[in-house]
């Protein structure tokens, strides 16, 4: 069995399809880097903040001075272009992945699922020898597995009452377009939101399989184009639709873009390849499922929410203020984080418990540095979630400066309103 | 069907979708009728008439100041103070509209009309000068020395007002010049609301459509509550420092009007949120996405009333209440906080005012 699997993975296939994917992704990433700089996000996300939310274990990552940071982005652009034209593609992918990982490690607040996907794909392109005429089937299996898992977990995450019964958050988001001529009244119809929710879940759950099956592939890709571009038109999700449309091409026949006969060159499979494929895909299955080990609804607690393809699932608006108490203070001092955080940081932090706790620890350190003793930090944090009335989501009596952030902390209050306020449309 | 044909078909479908959506970017091509009606009511029923009334109040204040200075008596002083109170109340009612013409550079009319907490030394510096004092001189003295707070400082000195005016003749010159300057400022602000209001109604530049106008108004309502809570109450209470009361941070301390300023501002918020039939102003709650949430409409209504009641329950001027009735002030602070939370979380979510993706979506 193992030998048969190994032989199947080692079987040489045309690498032209991977090169096409690599070129498309390279172009998208190059455009993405230019867009990032042109929109002023280097300044806004890395240079302007006086405080950065750090990733566990990566607290030492700091933004470089502006000229060096722009140089990093320039090298990222060069690497993306090299990927696009196929110049030293594995090294280019590795350079891109390292620099992209560095910039995205500076601050947790701007975390995006599609940034995570881009990083994963860049790492895979650094591993897969796309420059050869043929590759072992393992290379396609790895990429198809990765892209397929994104879709499937995105679909599984949508199997909940908010999405399927109440049509939330699409119902809220589509209502914004009520003023559009012709399509406005359609989009604002709550029943349409539910129908689109079902269609979205069905699309995510089936499209990798329909793309993988030759007889349905063309139709599936056409639907994918309509789906992703329509979502891109309706919602500000950046380059994500284009990344997914490029990624979906890995399901095409390996020689789909080749003119002329397919190469027959043998493609020796690296010894580590089968284990790498197995471990990589196992991790990619385990990460999105880690929430199962945690109590409480993950969309509310957000414990196990990142790196899990839980996309377009929640609409949250929050507001957090802190009360800092100390032995030498007559009364707690109220601190509005919006006074020091950037609007993006304040907004992202206001609905994500780990960031609320991280900023509390920062406040405690700041007050202690100012000479205060016995500093305690409490949060008045309220969140409105998927059309429910706003409620506290952090225990106001919990000292967040000292509170545990392991697992699902007890200071995350349970969801008080099980269902959205508006009744289901059907 | 070949892959290329499939892709071609998909792109064709997309082009149709894009063409259908594209007209939405062109406001002249259409738009939600109620949204237009709503914004028109804000502009024509509230912003413009209230700013026009403010000009009238400033002119009345200028006239009363002149009368007082010509014949300084207790009666004429009271009339001048009443005129100031009227203007101050009107200005506070306009608190949710401190954007656009009020904040635009370089005029910064809002800051020049109301600098916030009085900077007494700026007024003292002008009083200490010599030579003639005109409205232009007051304007040149800077924001801290002009507008409503400076006039308040002149009309409500710590000691006997009539004696203060008698002892410093320049005080009257300053008062009349500052009042005249206020007329100029308010008139400029009211005039600016002409084209700015038209832009709001049309959803034209600087706005990106009427949705953008509604989004901005929702954001401004939340910001207004933030200012009321923090600048008017939290700082005097010392809640942003060490918990010790800070009477020097009280806005309108001299006139004792601090809490009434907040109530007037809350009245302005209420008019824009709930509407006002008498003024023919429609409220945000009439928008379909909010109206579909009766729980939210009720919460907003209750919180507006509760905040006003809590402010009214503070029985003495804020400067005294900081020590004499601190609990009541803290209750008012908390009531404003509840309202602010609803305005900044529930209301924008109901409206989809800014699509509040989860942390990992969008960019």
């Amino acid at each position: 069995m193992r030998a048969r699997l190994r032989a199947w993975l080692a079987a040489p296939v045309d690498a032209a399809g991977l090169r096409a994917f690599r070129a498309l992704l390279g172009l998208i990433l190059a455009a993405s880097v230019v867009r990032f700089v042109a929109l002023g996000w280097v300044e806004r996300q890395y240079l302007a903040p006086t405080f950065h939310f750090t990733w566990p274990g990566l607290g030492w990552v700091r933004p470089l001075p502006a000229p060096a940071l722009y140089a990093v982005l320039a090298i990222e652009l060069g690497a993306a272009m090299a990927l696009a034209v196929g110049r030293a593609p594995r090294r280019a992918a590795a350079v891109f992945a390292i620099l992209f990982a560095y910039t995205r490690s500076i601050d947790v607040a701007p975390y995006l699922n599609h940034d995570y996907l881009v990083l994963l794909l860049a790492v895979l392109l650094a591993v897969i020898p796309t420059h050869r005429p043929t590759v072992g089937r393992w290379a396609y299996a790895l990429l198809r597995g990765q892209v397929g898992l994104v879709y499937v977990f995105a679909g599984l995450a949508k199997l909940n009452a908010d999405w399927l019964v109440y049509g939330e958050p699409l119902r809220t988001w589509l209502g914004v377009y009520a003023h559009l001529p012709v399509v406005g009244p359609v989009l604002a119809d709550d029943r349409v939101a539910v129908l689109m929710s079902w269609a979205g879940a069905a699309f995510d759950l089936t499209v990798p399989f329909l793309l993988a099956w030759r007889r349905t592939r063309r139709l599936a890709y056409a639907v994918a184009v309509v789906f992703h571009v329509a979502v891109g038109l309706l919602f500000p999700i950046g380059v994500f639709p284009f990344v997914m449309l490029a990624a979906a091409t890995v399901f095409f026949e390996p020689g789909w873009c080749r003119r002329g006969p397919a190469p027959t060159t043998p493609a020796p499979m690296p010894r580590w390849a089968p284990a790498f494929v197995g471990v990589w895909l196992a991790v990619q299955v385990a990460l999105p499922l880690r929430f199962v080990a945690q109590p409480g609804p993950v969309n509310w607690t957000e414990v196990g929410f990142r790196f899990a393809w839980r996309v377009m699932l929640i609409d949250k608006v929050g507001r957090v203020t802190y009360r800092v108490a100390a032995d030498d203070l007559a009364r707690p001092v109220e601190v509005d984080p919006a006074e020091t955080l950037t609007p993006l940081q304040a907004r992202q932090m206001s609905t994500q418990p780990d960031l609320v706790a991280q900023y509390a620890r920062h406040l405690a350190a700041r007050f202690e540095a100012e000479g205060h003793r016995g500093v305690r930090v409490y949060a008045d944090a309220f969140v409105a979630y998927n059309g429910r009335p706003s409620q506290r989501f952090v225990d106001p009596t919990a000292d967040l400066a000292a509170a545990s952030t392991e697992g699902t902390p007890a200071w995350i209050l349970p969801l008080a309103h099980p269902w959205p306020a508006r009744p289901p449309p059907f | 069907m070949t892959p290329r044909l499939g892709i071609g078909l998909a792109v064709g479908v997309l082009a149709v979708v894009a063409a259908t959506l594209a007209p939405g970017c062109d406001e002249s091509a259409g738009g939600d009728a109620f949204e237009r009606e709503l914004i028109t009511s804000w502009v024509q029923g509230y912003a413009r008439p209230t700013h026009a009334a403010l000009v009238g109040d400033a002119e009345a204040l200028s006239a009363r100041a002149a009368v007082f200075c010509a014949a300084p008596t207790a009666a004429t002083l009271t009339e001048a103070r009443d005129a100031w109170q009227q203007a101050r109340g009107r200005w506070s009612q306009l608190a949710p509209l401190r954007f656009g013409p009020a904040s635009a550079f370089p005029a910064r009319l809002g800051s020049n009309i109301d600098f916030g907490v009085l900077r007494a030394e700026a007024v003292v510096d002008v009083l200490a000068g010599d030579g003639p004092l005109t409205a232009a001189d007051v304007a040149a003295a800077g924001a801290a020395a002009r507008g409503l707070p400076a006039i308040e400082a002149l009309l409500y000195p710590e000691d006997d007002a009539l004696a203060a005016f008698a002892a410093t003749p320049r005080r009257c010159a300053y008062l009349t010049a500052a009042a005249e300057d206020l007329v100029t400022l308010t008139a400029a602000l009211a005039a600016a609301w002409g084209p700015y209001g038209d832009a709001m109604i049309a959803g034209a530049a600087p706005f990106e459509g009427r949705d953008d106008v509604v989004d901005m108004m929702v954001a401004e309502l939340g910001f207004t509550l933030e200012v009321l809570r923090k600048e008017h109450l939290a700082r005097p209470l010392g809640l942003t420092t060490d918990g010790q009361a800070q009477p020097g941070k009280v806005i309108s301390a001299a006139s004792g009007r601090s809490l009434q300023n907040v109530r007037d501002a809350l009245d302005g918020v209420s008019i824009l949120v709930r509407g006002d039939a008498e003024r023919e102003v429609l409220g945000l709650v009439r928008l379909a996405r909010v109206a579909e949430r009766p729980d939210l409409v009720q919460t907003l209504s209750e919180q507006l009333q509760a905040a006003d009641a809590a402010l009214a329950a503070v029985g003495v001027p804020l400067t005294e209440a900081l020590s004499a009735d601190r609990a009541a002030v803290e209750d008012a602070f908390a009531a404003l906080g509840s309202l602010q939370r609803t305005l900044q979380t529930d209301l924008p979510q109901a409206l989809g005012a800014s699509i509040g993706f989860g942390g990992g979506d969008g960019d």
Side-chain angles (χ1 to χ4, degrees), chain B residues 132-155:
Chain B
L133 196 52
T134 65
D137 297 322
V138 171
R146 63 197 296 207
L148 290 164
I151 296 171
E152 179 186 12
L154 295 168
L155 286 172

Side-chain angles (χ1 to χ4, degrees), chain B residues 47-174:
Chain B
R48 284 176 180 158
T50 311
H51 277 99
L54 178 65
V55 178
D57 293 338
E59 288 169 344
L61 171 59
S62 181
R64 294 296 172 201
V67 168
F68 166 69
C69 286
T73 64
T76 54
L77 175 64
T78 300
E79 286 175 0
R81 284 177 166 177
D82 288 348
W84 177 86
Q85 292 268 353
Q86 178 74 15
R88 175 72 234 195
R90 191 93 62 190
W91 173 248
S92 294
Q93 270 202 334
L94 287 165
L97 301 181
R98 302 274 165 82
F99 51 81
S103 60
F105 282 88
R108 298 176 70 243
L109 294 166
S111 298
N112 284 318
I113 291 171
D114 180 10
F115 187 72
V117 178
L118 175 70
R119 196 176 288 173
E121 61 272 21
V123 175
V124 170
D125 284 350
V126 176
L127 282 174
D130 51 16
L133 196 52
T134 65
D137 297 322
V138 171
R146 63 197 296 207
L148 290 164
I151 296 171
E152 179 186 12
L154 295 168
L155 286 172
Y156 295 90
E158 283 183 26
D159 301 322
D160 178 54
L162 289 173
F165 276 99
T168 314
R170 191 174 169 80
R171 196 176 191 94
C172 243
Y174 189 1

Side-chain angles (χ1 to χ4, degrees), chain B residues 34-53:
Chain B
F34 183 74
E35 217 166 56
R36 182 188 175 94
E37 199 184 336
L38 177 73
I39 298 168
T40 302
S41 83
W42 289 343
V43 172
Q44 295 181 353
Y46 189 63
R48 284 176 180 158
T50 311
H51 277 99

Side-chain angles (χ1 to χ4, degrees), chain B residues 132-286:
Chain B
L133 196 52
T134 65
D137 297 322
V138 171
R146 63 197 296 207
L148 290 164
I151 296 171
E152 179 186 12
L154 295 168
L155 286 172
Y156 295 90
E158 283 183 26
D159 301 322
D160 178 54
L162 289 173
F165 276 99
T168 314
R170 191 174 169 80
R171 196 176 191 94
C172 243
Y174 189 1
L175 174 65
T176 51
E180 198 181 319
D181 176 51
L182 184 67
V183 172
T184 306
L185 289 168
T186 54
L189 185 58
W193 265 93
Y196 191 80
D198 290 343
M200 280 180 73
I201 293 168
F207 302 101
E208 297 173 3
R210 291 192 194 94
D211 270 359
D212 194 29
V213 176
V214 174
D215 286 2
M216 182 199 65
M217 186 58 79
V218 172
E220 289 293 338
L221 288 168
F223 180 68
T224 301
L225 262 293
E226 172 73 13
V227 171
L228 295 180
R229 213 174 64 93
K230 187 181 291 179
E231 302 300 330
H232 290 252
L233 296 184
R235 292 201 195 287
L237 282 166
L239 296 179
T240 57
T241 48
D242 59 358
Q244 302 296 328
Q246 309 272 331
K249 300 286 185 188
V250 172
I251 294 172
S252 286
S255 63
R257 202 183 191 286
S258 318
L259 295 167
Q260 188 58 46
N261 287 350
V262 182
R263 294 185 70 187
D264 290 337
L266 210 54
D267 189 35
V269 170
S270 177
I271 288 168
L272 294 169
V273 172
R274 295 197 294 182
D276 184 334
E278 201 174 312
R279 298 170 194 247
E280 297 184 347
V281 177
L282 300 172
L284 265 170
V285 295
R286 293 279 301 279

Side-chain angles (χ1 to χ4, degrees), chain A residues 126-309:
Chain A
V127 170
I128 296 169
T130 54
H131 56 290
R132 292 184 183 153
T134 59
V135 290
R137 196 180 273 141
W138 65 271
Y140 277 95
L142 186 56
L143 277 168
R144 287 174 179 174
Q146 177 60 69
V147 177
L149 287 173
V150 173
Y151 277 118
V152 169
F153 277 115
L156 289 173
K158 291 178 172 69
L159 302 182
N160 62 71
D162 274 22
W163 185 268
L164 297 174
V165 179
Y166 291 86
E168 293 288 3
L170 275 188
R171 192 180 185 185
T172 297
W173 296 343
L174 292 176
V176 172
Y177 297 107
H179 66 284
L180 290 179
V182 186
V183 294
V186 177
L187 293 174
D189 188 322
D190 291 342
R191 293 167 300 179
V192 171
V194 172
L195 293 174
M196 286 180 68
S197 297
W198 278 78
F203 171 82
D204 284 341
L205 287 169
T206 58
V207 76
F209 306 104
L210 297 177
L211 283 168
W213 192 22
R214 188 177 300 168
R215 292 182 64 178
T216 51
R217 184 173 297 147
R218 290 162 190 162
L219 180 62
Y221 194 74
V223 172
V225 171
V226 173
F227 175 85
H228 284 301
V229 178
V231 170
L233 283 170
L234 287 171
F235 306 117
I237 53 174
V239 298
F240 186 68
F242 304 106
V243 171
M244 291 311 292
L245 286 175
T249 64
V250 301
F251 288 95
F252 290 0
E253 291 296 328
W256 70 274
C257 53
R258 171 178 296 285
R259 291 171 193 269
T264 54
T265 321
M269 181 172 68
R271 288 175 58 187
W272 48 262
F276 181 83
V277 172
V279 170
W280 181 278
L281 294 181
V283 170
Q284 288 303 316
V285 170
L287 274 176
L289 289 176
R290 70 192 191 282
F291 78 92
V292 176
Q294 301 295 333
V298 59
N299 289 349
W300 172 248
T301 65
E302 300 208 18
V303 178
F305 194 88
R306 299 190 193 101
F307 314 117
W309 316 121

Side-chain angles (χ1 to χ4, degrees), chain A residues 15-398:
Chain A
L18 294 185
R19 282 196 291 279
F21 161 63
R22 189 191 67 200
L24 286 171
L25 187 67
L27 286 173
I28 293 165
L29 297 185
S32 176
V33 172
V34 171
R35 177 173 177 262
F36 196 91
V37 174
L39 291 174
W41 290 351
V42 177
E43 175 70 24
R44 205 181 306 166
Q45 294 189 15
Y46 304 140
L47 299 172
T50 54
F51 168 82
H52 287 287
F53 292 98
T54 57
W55 292 93
L58 295 177
W60 50 272
V61 178
R62 287 282 178 269
L64 291 165
L69 209 44
Y70 279 104
V72 166
L73 270 293
I75 298 170
E76 265 187 34
L77 175 62
M81 292 302 292
L83 264 184
V85 300
R87 190 81 181 259
R90 292 172 80 176
R91 266 177 287 167
V95 167
F96 185 90
I98 291 167
L99 296 181
F100 193 78
Y102 160 67
T103 53
R104 287 345 186 238
S105 299
I106 291 172
D107 200 317
V108 182
Y111 167 83
L112 292 174
N113 286 303
H114 67 249
D115 280 350
Y116 173 49
L117 178 61
V118 161
L119 178 62
L120 295 179
L121 294 175
V123 170
L124 292 182
L125 287 178
V127 170
I128 296 169
T130 54
H131 56 290
R132 292 184 183 153
T134 59
V135 290
R137 196 180 273 141
W138 65 271
Y140 277 95
L142 186 56
L143 277 168
R144 287 174 179 174
Q146 177 60 69
V147 177
L149 287 173
V150 173
Y151 277 118
V152 169
F153 277 115
L156 289 173
K158 291 178 172 69
L159 302 182
N160 62 71
D162 274 22
W163 185 268
L164 297 174
V165 179
Y166 291 86
E168 293 288 3
L170 275 188
R171 192 180 185 185
T172 297
W173 296 343
L174 292 176
V176 172
Y177 297 107
H179 66 284
L180 290 179
V182 186
V183 294
V186 177
L187 293 174
D189 188 322
D190 291 342
R191 293 167 300 179
V192 171
V194 172
L195 293 174
M196 286 180 68
S197 297
W198 278 78
F203 171 82
D204 284 341
L205 287 169
T206 58
V207 76
F209 306 104
L210 297 177
L211 283 168
W213 192 22
R214 188 177 300 168
R215 292 182 64 178
T216 51
R217 184 173 297 147
R218 290 162 190 162
L219 180 62
Y221 194 74
V223 172
V225 171
V226 173
F227 175 85
H228 284 301
V229 178
V231 170
L233 283 170
L234 287 171
F235 306 117
I237 53 174
V239 298
F240 186 68
F242 304 106
V243 171
M244 291 311 292
L245 286 175
T249 64
V250 301
F251 288 95
F252 290 0
E253 291 296 328
W256 70 274
C257 53
R258 171 178 296 285
R259 291 171 193 269
T264 54
T265 321
M269 181 172 68
R271 288 175 58 187
W272 48 262
F276 181 83
V277 172
V279 170
W280 181 278
L281 294 181
V283 170
Q284 288 303 316
V285 170
L287 274 176
L289 289 176
R290 70 192 191 282
F291 78 92
V292 176
Q294 301 295 333
V298 59
N299 289 349
W300 172 248
T301 65
E302 300 208 18
V303 178
F305 194 88
R306 299 190 193 101
F307 314 117
W309 316 121
R310 306 188 72 85
V311 292
M312 310 284 289
L313 279 179
I314 54 175
D315 181 275
K316 284 184 174 175
V317 186
R319 172 168 169 71
V320 182
T321 53
Y322 292 92
R323 285 169 286 114
V324 183
D327 293 344
D328 54 323
L329 284 172
R331 306 176 72 91
V333 175
E334 182 174 294
V335 178
D336 183 352
E339 288 180 356
T340 48
L341 298 176
T342 65
L344 172 73
Q345 287 178 313
R347 178 179 148 144
Q348 298 295 74
M349 181 271 271
S350 68
T351 61
Q352 299 179 44
D354 59 337
L355 303 189
V356 172
Q358 191 175 143
Y359 195 74
R361 292 194 296 275
H362 164 73
L363 284 177
R366 197 185 89 190
F367 274 72
E368 281 164 3
E370 289 170 2
H372 296 287
R373 299 179 310 281
V375 176
R376 285 98 60 200
V377 182
Y378 307 95
D380 291 309
F382 295 84
V383 167
Y385 158 54
N386 277 3
R388 293 166 174 79
S390 63
Q391 67 159 96
R392 278 190 188 274
F393 86 121
V394 169
D395 181 352
T397 65

